[in-house]
Amino acid sequence: MSAITERVREPGVTDTEIRIGNVMPYSGSLEVFGAIGKAEAAYFEMINERGGINGRKVRFISYDDKSDPSTALDVTRGLIEKDDVLLMFGSFGTPGNFAVRAYLNERQIPQLFVASGDDHLSDPSMFPWTMGWQPSIREEGRIYANYIQAFYPGKRIVALWQNDHFGRELFKGLEDGLGDIARMIRVDIAYDIADENLDTHVSILKRSGAEIFVFAGMPANAAKVVRVAADLNWHPVFILNHMAASIATAPRPAGPDNGSENALGAITATFLKDANDPAWKDEQASKDWQAFVEKYNRAGGKDDNAAVFGYAAAETLAQVLKQCGNDLSRENVMKQAAALENYQGSMLLPGIKISTGRWNFRPIKHLRLIQFDGRTWQPIGEVLETAFSNAQK
């Protein structure tokens, strides 16, 4: 009788361990974002030192996909079929997540909290085992458009955007949001990640006489663009995508001399605290954060924005696993991931909470506009809803 009633153990789970799979670009054109995986590894190391989750340690197994979608599929198969993980968590990039989505859904394996802001990765009617995490990239672009219309009506706009899925989506959102006045975008330039002619691009954009400069791309390129504009004695209002706007990676390196004057007044829309913002240093959560940062730096992590992103995403997964209790079936993991209610992780900005539901697979649906005052980020107005008007609620 005991053999009949013994529960079949779910792959990836033992009495002492939960195995989690992850894919990151630790090399290749997007390797800067591999820092997110290092942050997630450091978070679970910290959690394990405190006893794990419901008595089980988390074994976080992360592989390099070299920024290549076909490699992402190969290593994901290996994680499922050889490493025997319970679920895939937080894998980076839109092309890689698209490449593995059908495989994971056919096998009914959770593809949770993907590190991509593409809306098609949050569609439970088509792919019930795939769930996004961060706000929509296109909606971020729309929020910038709304801000420009409200505060700078009639002003000329230029845009410099990374020539990949991310850059195109944000730029499309900007055009969507501007609607009939998208003609105010006088010049836009798509640049490749390896492009060494950013100074030439900025010089071309300056000649348009624009007052608003929208940038969508890598953190290091954001800093360079702001610095080049200042060297050309051009001081437009800079709007920087949130992944490129950490104080440590954009305003401060934009100078001069590690000052932040060139980035004074820069705008971004975000949902996460900035690790370098003095506004948060006295918070209760800062003790946990400092313990984490020590492990993250030891693991080779350097990008503070990536550290916050990885920490906050891993914290969300930890909450889901806590809610699972002792039922770590894949079905219950998805059920609990779709049952988050006003969850506020420690690194989310005040007023931004995570809620999910059966038809709501976009956990974070709000952003907050903030402006750099030379030292800290100051909020502009209220928290903003980013969900598409035709999205299922």
Side-chain angles (χ1 to χ4, degrees), residues 217-284:
M218 299 280 214
N221 288 336
K224 185 175 181 182
V225 161
V226 173
R227 197 165 56 244
V228 169
D231 291 344
L232 293 170
N233 196 29
W234 182 33
H235 303 283
V237 175
F238 276 100
I239 296 177
L240 309 174
N241 62 288
H242 77 82
M243 280 301 283
S246 163
I247 291 173
T249 52
R252 202 175 286 154
D257 301 322
N258 266 347
S260 306
E261 293 88 345
N262 291 342
L264 193 65
I267 305 283
T268 192
T270 189
F271 56 101
L272 294 168
K273 296 172 184 174
D274 189 320
N276 292 276
D277 194 328
W280 314 116
K281 71 179 188 329
D282 296 325
E283 283 200 341
Q284 182 67 37

Side-chain angles (χ1 to χ4, degrees), residues 331-347:
E331 290 82 2
N332 194 42
V333 168
M334 286 309 300
K335 180 181 174 185
Q336 297 306 323
L340 291 166
E341 190 170 345
N342 290 325
Y343 169 67
Q344 176 132 33
S346 62
M347 297 310 289

Side-chain angles (χ1 to χ4, degrees), residues 275-340:
N276 292 276
D277 194 328
W280 314 116
K281 71 179 188 329
D282 296 325
E283 283 200 341
Q284 182 67 37
S286 65
K287 190 174 177 183
D288 284 350
W289 175 255
Q290 288 310 317
F292 158 78
V293 166
E294 190 179 315
K295 296 180 187 305
Y296 171 68
N297 290 337
R298 206 165 61 238
K302 294 174 185 171
D303 184 329
D304 295 304
N305 227 1
V308 177
F309 187 99
Y311 184 101
E315 194 177 47
T316 310
L317 180 64
Q319 176 63 27
V320 169
L321 295 174
K322 280 177 199 162
Q323 287 179 198
C324 286
N326 209 34
D327 180 1
L328 286 161
S329 64
R330 286 168 171 160
E331 290 82 2
N332 194 42
V333 168
M334 286 309 300
K335 180 181 174 185
Q336 297 306 323
L340 291 166

